[in-house]
Amino acid sequence: MSVRLMIDHRKKGEATLRHPEKAHRPDNPIARKPEWIRVRAPNHPTYHETRKLMRDNNLVTVCEEAACPNIGECWSQRHATMMIMGEICTRACAFCNVTTGLPNALDADEPGRVADAVARLGLRHVVITSVDRDDLADGGAHHFARVIGAIRASAPDTTIEILTPDFLRKPGALEVVVRARPDVFNHNLETVPRLYTTIRPGARYYQSMRLLDDVKRMDPSIFTKSGLMLGLGEERPEILQVMDDLRIADVDFITLGQYLQPTVKHAAVARFVTPEEFADYAGMARVKGFLQVSSSPLTRSSYHADSDFAQLRAAREQRLRAERGAMEIK
């Protein structure tokens, strides 16, 4: 039995076991990627500038922690998804490359550093995500609110998208985040209900769905968003059912992307979904009424988030105009 060590990019030369809970699992060989999801190694000068800014501000990014394939493209455009509350997650999802373990205490200075980086990058739109913090009484909700407030103060013209945990068994946590009024509230379902016990064992499908529904109930002006990874063994009818569930919760934006296996200790890729299939799912999602859809092999939650947000806002305005026009005719 082999164990793969992942090297933390912030601690050069120091090998750490990122996933101790997976060490004794049997290896799942990593399948060769098809041509349509291969990307070039990052080498653009702006990529290195963005990376230096993250290190200078002692910030963590999900781009690095989750080994996102789009990091070269995004960082070359000064787009980075910041991951708050540390780099150690209390959950052990079978798909995720973020380190699992006991997190450190929250850093009270982090909101200010995040806000400073947002201002220095001159971002029109920023995505803030986090690890799961089941160890905290509020799941990190107040920390999310402080980050949102700090960005509003330092970069008032920047729109803010958050990608949160499910706040499972954290009463009152969601209300704290919603009161901070992010422009977009994203929480990913990740996969279909049938696969939760193996792919996302620490979470509950209906808790995640209820979370998204509650955001709209608390503040209908906030855009809601969720995403699925495909290629884990889900079936087409299950994907379409999840779309219907999201629309019942009035979710505005859905993302669909290909799951890529980080290491031999993670869940295996059941199949590589073709670009044509992703396009077909995009068409189905639009028919079902989503305001915005991003569906492709390389789609990730924050991929092209700035341009997607502009389209999302325009789509809402267009729908509202159409509804007002229909009422006037009546």
Side-chain angles (χ1 to χ4, degrees), residues 199-215:
I199 300 301
R200 201 178 174 216
R204 302 293 181 269
Y205 177 80
Y206 292 104
Q207 164 68 17
S208 290
M209 191 62 68
R210 187 182 302 114
L211 186 86
L212 292 162
D213 186 64
D214 284 348
V215 172

Side-chain angles (χ1 to χ4, degrees), residues 74-135:
C74 293
W75 283 27
S76 295
Q77 299 172 20
R78 297 186 185 279
H79 299 163
T81 299
M82 297 174 205
M83 191 167 77
I84 61 174
M85 298 193 281
E87 66 270 28
I88 302 174
C89 186
T90 54
R91 303 270 177 98
C93 296
F95 63 86
C96 186
N97 196 44
V98 174
T99 304
T100 299
L102 181 64
N104 298 317
L106 291 179
D107 182 349
D109 295 330
E110 184 176 53
R113 295 200 311 275
V114 170
D116 179 63
V118 170
R120 289 170 63 185
L121 284 167
L123 299 180
R124 296 175 300 177
H125 185 79
V126 64
V127 182
I128 306 295
T129 188
S130 78
V131 291
D132 277 286
R133 291 298 303 258
D134 296 309
D135 59 310

Side-chain angles (χ1 to χ4, degrees), residues 22 24 46 63 68 72 92 112-113 129 136 164 168 202 212 215 224 239 248 287 293 296 298 311:
K22 297 179 174 67
H24 299 293
T46 308
C63 319
C68 180
R113 295 200 311 275
T129 188
L136 301 175
T164 77
L168 183 63
L212 292 162
V215 172
T224 50
I239 297 169
I248 290 171
V287 167
V293 180
S296 75
L298 286 174
Q311 294 174 36

Side-chain angles (χ1 to χ4, degrees), residues 192-297:
V192 300
R194 176 176 58 85
L195 297 177
Y196 261 55
T197 55
T198 55
I199 300 301
R200 201 178 174 216
R204 302 293 181 269
Y205 177 80
Y206 292 104
Q207 164 68 17
S208 290
M209 191 62 68
R210 187 182 302 114
L211 186 86
L212 292 162
D213 186 64
D214 284 348
V215 172
K216 277 294 188 188
R217 179 178 53 80
M218 294 176 192
D219 189 341
S221 70
I222 296 176
F223 289 103
T224 50
K225 177 178 177 181
S226 190
L228 292 177
M229 299 174 295
L230 304 189
L232 283 162
E234 69 288 332
E235 301 290 341
R236 178 182 174 86
E238 294 177 304
I239 297 169
L240 299 181
Q241 182 62 60
V242 170
M243 289 184 187
D244 288 339
D245 292 346
L246 288 170
R247 288 303 301 131
I248 290 171
D250 200 23
V251 170
D252 301 295
F253 188 175
I254 187 172
T255 61
L256 302 168
Q258 171 70 52
Y259 166 64
L260 298 176
Q261 183 181 347
T263 77
V264 295
K265 296 301 180 182
H266 286 78
V269 174
R271 63 185 290 260
F272 289 105
V273 180
T274 67
E276 292 76 17
E277 289 175 275
F278 276 105
D280 178 60
Y281 283 127
M284 293 297 297
R286 292 188 182 95
V287 167
K288 290 177 182 293
F290 289 97
L291 287 176
Q292 181 70 2
V293 180
S294 181
S295 178
S296 75

Side-chain angles (χ1 to χ4, degrees), residues 172-187:
L174 180 62
E175 289 82 351
V176 170
V177 180
V178 171
R179 281 197 298 269
R181 304 203 73 242
D183 296 281
V184 180
F185 191 110
N186 185 3
H187 174 67

